[in-house]
Amino acid sequence: SGAATGIALWNRAGGSVYGMAARGARMVDTMEQLLDGPVYHFQSKLTAKEPFVGGAWEWHQDYGYWYHNGCLFPHLASCQIALDRSTTANGCLTMVAGSHLLGRIDHVPVPGEGQNVADPARMRDILARLPEVPCELEPGDAVFFHSNTLHRSAQNLSPHRRWTLICCYNRVDNDTVTRTDDRYHVPLERVPDSAVKAAGLRFASGAEHFTSRPFVPKVA
């Protein structure tokens, strides 16, 4: 729609408050229960939809992208954490209930936008059968979803910003079969939940910026 969303994306979880949130025990333990096995951090993304100008994300599956990163199975899931109040007015996440059971859908590029979208013709039939569910969240709320879940988010047409953190995980036995980027398995060092608060206090003090110290993993 001609608007833009700010994004910061990284594949290794370090020692910042954002990295600690992805490594926290509650987050990792929940992901391992949902995916039925040990997981590693696949990527995290901070999305920033500013008031009146925040852009839209069209219907897609994350596995529609991650299939091309060398993941043979859709044994991946994400957790979106609301950093601001997230509503239909400022472009909250909307999911298609039950769509994780559909399997991977063909995706096509949107010319000039850098997005891949689920086949529009197939989406018409899917939306005729399955309901859309807006995920309205208060700051600190979180929503977990499978990599084949169809989701989108509308433009932010409100005077309120909508920032979210999305932490994504892959099951260890689904390690990428390619090494063209750094989404391959690196052991995840989980931390107690108290580490998230400690990192947040450092961040709030102005002593640290989450991009200031990139995390370089040790790989054998």
Side-chain angles (χ1 to χ4, degrees), residues 5-215:
T5 297
I7 297 174
L9 187 147
W10 57 98
N11 297 335
R12 300 302 180 200
S16 72
V17 63
Y18 297 106
M20 291 301 188
R23 293 165 56 192
R26 277 193 299 172
M27 176 74 80
V28 179
D29 291 349
T30 301
M31 279 295 178
E32 292 190 338
Q33 290 178 32
L34 292 174
L35 290 173
D36 196 25
V39 301
Y40 71 94
H41 178 261
F42 193 69
Q43 72 175 39
S44 285
K45 180 168 62 176
L46 182 71
T47 64
K49 290 190 179 186
E50 297 301 324
F52 302 115
V53 297
W57 292 98
E58 304 301 334
W59 288 116
H60 68 281
Q61 299 167 310
D62 289 336
Y63 191 54
Y65 288 88
W66 297 339
Y67 172 89
H68 299 286
N69 292 119
C71 297
L72 296 181
F73 295 90
H75 299 327
L76 304 99
S78 300
C79 177
Q80 184 190 80
I81 304 169
L83 303 181
D84 302 309
R85 190 162 183 262
S86 189
T87 68
T88 53
N90 66 4
C92 71
L93 191 70
T94 298
M95 300 188 192
V96 179
S99 58
H100 64 293
L101 300 174
L102 294 168
R104 184 174 69 90
I105 297 168
D106 288 339
H107 283 60
V108 297
V110 178
E113 287 198 10
Q115 288 193 53
N116 291 327
V117 300
D119 178 5
R122 199 166 188 87
M123 282 305 306
R124 284 194 293 272
D125 292 326
I126 291 169
L127 294 175
R129 297 190 182 196
L130 298 176
E132 299 178 38
V133 180
C135 301
E136 295 196 303
L137 306 173
E138 295 297 323
D141 286 350
V143 57
F144 291 79
F145 56 101
H146 187 268
S147 62
N148 269 338
T149 301
L150 285 160
H151 57 286
R152 71 179 297 272
S153 62
Q155 283 184 266
N156 182 1
L157 301 178
S158 80
H160 306 291
R161 76 171 202 175
R162 196 222 71 169
W163 282 32
T164 63
L165 173 65
I166 305 176
C167 303
C168 312
Y169 300 81
N170 189 16
R171 217 167 71 181
V172 171
D173 62 3
N174 192 40
D175 190 13
T176 61
V177 296
T178 61
R179 292 295 187 268
T180 52
D181 57 37
D182 60 351
R183 288 180 171 89
Y184 52 83
H185 171 238
V186 170
L188 178 63
E189 298 180 24
R190 78 184 71 196
V191 298
D193 294 325
S194 59
V196 182
K197 182 176 181 179
L201 290 172
R202 289 197 305 272
F203 182 69
S205 72
E208 178 183 273
H209 187 271
F210 80 97
T211 62
S212 63
R213 281 183 280 177
F215 174 68

